């Protein structure tokens, strides 16, 4: 499986990259980590006229703490996020999710920006960003935008990115006191795409979930904030009835796909199980 | 002169394989690693439809692409390479249509090659493939074996009359009477999912035709070079002696690489047509859709039992859907034939009735894959035994013991005509119970159940056919060699070079042969070099299949070793002017039999024999290159036996099955290298686990493969696999001097049954059970009524 | 449409300068242009790990990187790593335990195991299994590979 022939550009600056994007339009693809793009190229599912390799763009591979929150540059590798003390401290949900992303060799190359821009429905990071109310920072020629994650992920491989824009960073707002997070997923094998994943970020007080942010991946075209389930859980002490009620509410939140790995019914069921187990762990 | 210890035998020793040094340094030579001058690459236009007429093929744009050398269709190739039919005379009534290297007029499976693009590089060949314009007229696809024989279902090959490839009925004793007299009758339908080998090195072949001599040399990732040589010669119209097949390192085969593939035949034909070397390396997407598939079966089983657990009789109805062709030359009837013949073989009840229907479908062709038929046979039998035990409130161990063919019953012929010289079911069972601490595991399982942790234990007893005799394929008309040969040559340096007709794919054939030869002659293993897999150099043989390497290749090596030993001693006696009986060979030295005193070095013997024969008696001729052949004649197969135990934990909320541990006790006769046998068991067991839990080639109703990538087809990976403990019993066969039997497939034969039984044991408290494989979370949750 | 791109890099310590097609993967470049055939291609999906090499000291799937991306990089393959003696004890352990049969997955396994032991010298059997879970082996069933890595880890800790 060899890719189609394509031109290759390696811009040295963001402006150069954006100019190339504008020049090629939809006939180009941005190459960052390549861990999703290159398989697609190998299978000829992607057949661009040009590849714009952004790996040399300066200033996009840092993790820093700013007043607005934790800024993770688009070119930061998953492996660096996984090992980062700053992320562990200021976005523990993301740190918990990283070991589930593929395998070590994938995480060496795969990038935060790439995962966000690809918007695979089973990907862990988009769900984490939604649960954390994060922003996706985007740059186009002469424009800079910050887009709430909740709005950014629109559907299967579909985001709010306009033609000619690239993701430059994600920004996770400061986490207030009392918030605790847990990432969990169910998969057939270690490192596989999740059958169902849950990025849970909750404010817990005295054993009661005061506020819940529950973002599921693998259960729809895009990560889903389970708002009905969140509403059921908010302000209530967990008991089996409450959890069951949240599970029923979750059914209305989700519209999972069927594929060779499982039917919609399976994913609904697993989402309910994951919900029950994860909130129990968060409260404990 | 010093004493020397009495000879050394390597039989039974876990010698480290010398080949590992090369492979660990990254110096393996796999077929895709080989380049030849002016080598070209081929990629194939493959049918996207399961069934479609080919209206036209326009290769103009493809041929215009720089770097593309040729585009060839089925019609153009037909004159160079003749087609083939995958039937054998001893499968009475079997029928199949002619298959060609490139389809002509019609494609009958998604992935079937219909045109070949040859180019300077593989990437360019693929570019060419994308430019070939094929006009298709899709036809209805036949994909459900259950309805394949309905009058309303289209017949894939009208000239055959229907979609039935083969059918068979077996009757032993009187099953009807047995069922009438039963205290309980159990009925179950098992659905076994289609899966495939997924060798890490995909299929690869490099064909090099020299038009000046009209000689074809083929480098092939394959198990049976002589078989390929024979078929290439006949179908390309070349003399057999002008076709040479060389198998260098093979990255896993497991039966996948012992069949005839249209794309590989096409590659050889292209080399003949172009007069250049042509390489084909399947990529992973091609592999899924074109490697042979296996084990798609629906088995209805009925078991008649007495209240005390005695099995009275059994009925089995097996329906299997293969592809649109029976695969050449071994046929796609063998898997089903073995399934129904093996099913009752562990047990002594006589009343058994079985029927088999093998039907055509528009899916990838199916054929022999490691442990052919065995995993299905024993999953079915052992699941029924466990269910009977559970239903009658009896111990599954004791029910097996009660029904086994026991020690005093040998030699024994099974319900279906298989001959067993001697097996060791009871010993193996006792050993398994001991090494696994089975009773303690049962107690722990019971205690954990009360705490909501659901563990299960599953047994699977099995037999395994190995070391096949001459009637297996040859009797049906196939030019497949059931005999094998070994050549040993003493070099002037006193070391041995050995050539064998059995082949190496990582199981340790080279090492095993060296162990036998070194032991038989009396030299150190380090002094033996083994060469396999070159038809011009190796004695004519069968290669690797049906676990024949040790039993047949090992015995041939033993006989050859003994013969050259005698010849060496004759030379030594001539040099030393004594009798051969006065001398022995130990650790590479000629010694006095009685005193052990070293009389002569083998290097010195070599020097004299090759360079100074003038010093030897005038009427004496040294014969220091010897070949012996061997074919087992006394039994159809050297059956082996064993029993496996799987320990699982089922998460009844998610349906996920966690493998805690796995045990296998097996009896493969006299063991040459225990570690290599253990490792064959482990690898084979994990392949069986893959089928039990993960691997499934899923087709839709249009015959489109839905799980044809490494993301969708789940192979077992390290994190989910258990530790595997292997124990041994040794019952050598008395029909050969070495007593060796085969060991390569036994692990796969018993693993799926053990896992299936373990899962059902875990689900038993819920009154739930699963009867299909792979056992996915969906299957478990449905059984529990949660979905 | 796809003009060749000039790259300069070091491979196993040797400076290399070549003109490559942008679409060519790193592992194909190593295997065909440099004839370093010790790294293998098993899937081109990034799933099986047979193509695992080291780029700038980190573990990478050779089928998921383009050769052009390695301009200026330091690439190490099994041939180089075996030559330095860095994995000698792992190789010995693999041979002793028969942690390889056909050998096709072996270079990937060795590199992955070495990377694990460098990051996690105290890795236990389950951690070893998880670290190797991106490397497909069809022959061994993994048991002996895990044993070989575990024994090597123990020996290194004792040393």
């Amino acid at each position: 499986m060899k890719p189609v022939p394509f031109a290759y550009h390696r811009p040295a600056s963001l402006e150069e990259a954006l100019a190339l994007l504008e020049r090629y339009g939809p006939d180009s693809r941005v190459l960052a980590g390549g861990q999703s793009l290159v398989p697609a190229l190998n299978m000829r599912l992607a057949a661009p006229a040009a590849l714009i390799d952004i790996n040399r763009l300066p200033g996009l591979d840092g993790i820093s703490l700013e007043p607005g929150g934790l800024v993770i540059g688009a070119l930061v590798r998953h492996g660096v996020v996984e090992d980062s003390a700053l992320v562990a401290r200021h976005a523990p949900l993301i740190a918990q999710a990283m070991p589930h992303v593929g395998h070590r060799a994938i995480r060496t190359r795969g990038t935060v920006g790439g995962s966000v821009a690809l918007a695979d429905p089973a990907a862990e990071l988009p769900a984490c960003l939604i649960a954390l109310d994060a922003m996706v920072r985007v740059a186009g020629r002469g424009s800079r935008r910050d887009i709430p994650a909740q709005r950014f992920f629109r559907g299967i491989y579909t985001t709010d990115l306009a033609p000619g824009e690239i993701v430059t960073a994600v920004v996770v707002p400061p986490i207030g006191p009392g918030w605790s997070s847990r990432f969990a997923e169910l998969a057939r094998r270690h490192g596989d795409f999740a059958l169902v994943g849950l990025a849970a970020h909750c404010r817990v007080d005295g054993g009661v979930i005061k506020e819940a942010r529950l973002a599921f991946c693998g259960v729809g075209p895009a990560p889903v904030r389970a708002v009905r389930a969140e509403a059921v859980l908010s302000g209530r002490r967990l008991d089996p009835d409450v959890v069951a009620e949240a599970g029923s509410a979750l059914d209305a939140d989700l519209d999972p796909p069927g594929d060779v790995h499982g039917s919609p019914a399976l994913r609904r069921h697993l989402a309910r199980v994951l919900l029950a187990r994860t909130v129990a762990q968060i409260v404990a | 002169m010093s004493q020397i210890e009495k000879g050394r035998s390597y039989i039974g020793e876990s010698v480290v394989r010398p080949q590992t040094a090369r492979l660990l340094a990254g110096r393996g030579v796999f077929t895709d690693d080989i380049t030849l001058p002016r080598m070209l690459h081929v990629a194939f236009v493959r049918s996207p439809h399961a069934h479609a007429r080919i209206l036209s093929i326009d290769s103009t744009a493809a041929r215009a692409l720089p770097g593309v050398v040729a585009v060839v269709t089925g019609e153009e190739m037909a004159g160079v390479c003749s087609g083939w039919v995958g039937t054998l005379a001893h499968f009475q009534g079997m029928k199949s249509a002619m298959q060609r290297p490139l389809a002509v007029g019609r494609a009958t499976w998604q992935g079937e090659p219909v045109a070949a693009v040859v180019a300077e590089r593989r990437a360019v060949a693929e570019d060419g493939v994308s430019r070939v314009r094929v006009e298709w007229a899709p036809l209805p696809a036949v994909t459900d074996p259950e309805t394949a024989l309905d009058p309303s279902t289209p017949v894939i090959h009208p000239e055959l009359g229907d979609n039935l490839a083969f059918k068979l009925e077996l009757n032993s004793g009187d099953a009807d009477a047995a069922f009438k007299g039963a205290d309980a009758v159990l009925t179950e339908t098992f659905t076994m999912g289609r899966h495939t080998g997924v060798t890490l090195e995909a299929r690869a072949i490099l064909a090099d035709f020299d038009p000046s001599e009209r000689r074809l040399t083929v480098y092939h990732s394959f198990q049976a070079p002589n078989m390929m040589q024979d078929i290439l010669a006949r179908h390309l119209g070349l003399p057999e002696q002008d076709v040479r097949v060389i198998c260098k390192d093979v990255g896993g085969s497991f039966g996948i690489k012992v069949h005839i593939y249209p794309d590989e035949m096409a590659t050889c034909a292209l080399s003949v047509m172009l007069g250049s070397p042509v390489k084909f390396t399947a990529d992973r997407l091609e592999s899924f859709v074109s490697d042979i598939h296996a084990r798609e079966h629906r088995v209805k089983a009925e078991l008649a039992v007495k209240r005390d657990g005695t099995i009275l009789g059994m009925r089995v109805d097996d329906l299997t859907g293969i592809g649109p062709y029976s695969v050449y030359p071994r046929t796609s009837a063998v898997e089903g034939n073995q399934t129904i013949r093996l099913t009752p073989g562990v047990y002594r009840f006589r009343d058994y009735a079985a029927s088999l229907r093998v039907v055509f479908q528009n899916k990838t062709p199916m054929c022999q894959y490691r442990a052919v038929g065995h995993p299905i046979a024993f999953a079915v039998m052992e699941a029924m035994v466990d269910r009977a035990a559970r239903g009658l409130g009896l111990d599954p161990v004791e029910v097996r013991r009660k029904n086994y063919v026991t020690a005093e019953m040998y030699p024994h012929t099974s319900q279906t005509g298989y001959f067993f010289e001697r097996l060791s079911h009871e010993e193996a069972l006792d050993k398994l119970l001991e090494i696994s601490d089975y009773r303690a595991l049962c107690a722990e399982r019971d205690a954990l159940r009360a705490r909501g942790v659901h563990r299960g234990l599953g047994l699977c007893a099995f037999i395994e056919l190995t070391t096949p005799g001459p009637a297996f394929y040859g009797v049906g008309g196939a030019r497949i060699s059931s005999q094998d040969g070994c050549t040993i040559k003493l070099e002037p340096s006193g070391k041995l070079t050995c050539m064998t007709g059995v082949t190496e794919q990582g199981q340790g054939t080279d090492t095993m042969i060296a162990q036998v030869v070194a032991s038989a002659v009396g030299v150190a293993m380090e002094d033996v070099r083994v060469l396999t897999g070159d038809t011009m150099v190796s004695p004519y043989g069968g290669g690797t299949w049906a676990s024949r390497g040790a039993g047949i290749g090992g015995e041939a090596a033993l006989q050859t070793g003994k013969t050259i030993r005698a010849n060496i001693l004759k030379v030594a006696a001539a040099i030393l002017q004594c009798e051969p009986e006065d001398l022995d060979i130990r650790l590479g030295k000629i010694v006095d039999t009685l005193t052990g005193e070293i009389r002569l070095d083998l290097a010195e013997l070599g020097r004299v024999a090759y360079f100074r024969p003038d010093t030897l008696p005038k009427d004496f001729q040294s014969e220091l290159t010897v070949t012996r052949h061997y074919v087992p004649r006394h039994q159809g197969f050297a059956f082996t036996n064993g029993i496996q135990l799987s320990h699982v934990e089922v998460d009844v909320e998610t349906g996920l099955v966690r493998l805690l541990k796995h045990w296998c006790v097996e009896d493969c006769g006299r063991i040459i290298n225990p570690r290599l046998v253990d490792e064959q068991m482990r690898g084979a067991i994990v392949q069986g686990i893959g089928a039990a839990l993960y691997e499934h080639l899923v087709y839709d109703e249009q015959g489109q493969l839905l799980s044809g990538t490494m993301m969708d087809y789940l192979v077992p990976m390290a994190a989910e696999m258990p530790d595997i403990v292997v124990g041994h019993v040794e019952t050598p066969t008395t029909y050969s001097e070495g007593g060796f039997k085969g060991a390569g497939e036994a692990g796969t034969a018993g693993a799926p049954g053990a896992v299936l039984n373990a899962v059902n044991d875990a689900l038993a408290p819920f009154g739930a059970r699963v009867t299909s494989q792979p056992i996915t979370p969906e299957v478990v949750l449905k059984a529990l009524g949660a979905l | 449409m796809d003009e060749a791109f000039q790259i300069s890099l070091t491979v196993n310590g040797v400076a290399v300068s070549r003109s490559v097609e942008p679409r060519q993967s790193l592992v194909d470049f190593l295997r065909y242009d440099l004839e370093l055939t010790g790294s293998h291609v098993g899937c081109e999906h990034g799933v099986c790990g047979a193509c695992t090499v080291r780029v700038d000291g980190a573990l990478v799937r050779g089928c998921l990187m383009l050769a052009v991306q390695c301009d200026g990089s330091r690439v190490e393959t099994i041939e180089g790593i075996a030559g330095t003696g860095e994995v000698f004890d792992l190789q010995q352990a693999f041979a002793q335990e028969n942690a390889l049969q056909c050998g096709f997955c072996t270079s990937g396994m060795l590199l992955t195991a070495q990377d694990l032991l460098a990051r996690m010298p105290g890795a236990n059997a389950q951690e070893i299994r998880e670290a190797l879970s991106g490397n497909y082996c069809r022959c061994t069933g993994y048991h002996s590979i895990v044993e070989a890595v575990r024994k090597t880890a123990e020996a290194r800790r004792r040393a």
Side-chain angles (χ1 to χ4, degrees), chain B residues 32-33 121 127 197 679 716, chain C residues 21 23 31-32 138 142 144:
Chain B
D32 189 64
D33 298 342
R121 281 172 300 120
D127 296 341
E679 289 305 302
Chain C
E21 251 198 303
R23 63 169 161 172
R31 287 177 52 73
Y32 302 123
R138 194 50 145 175
Y142 307 106
S144 57

Side-chain angles (χ1 to χ4, degrees), chain B residues 378-379 382 400 458-462 642-645 749-755 757:
Chain B
F378 302 118
E382 293 293 274
R400 286 173 170 85
L459 291 165
C460 185
F462 62 91
I643 184 163
Q644 299 190 25
L645 174 67
V755 173
N757 278 346

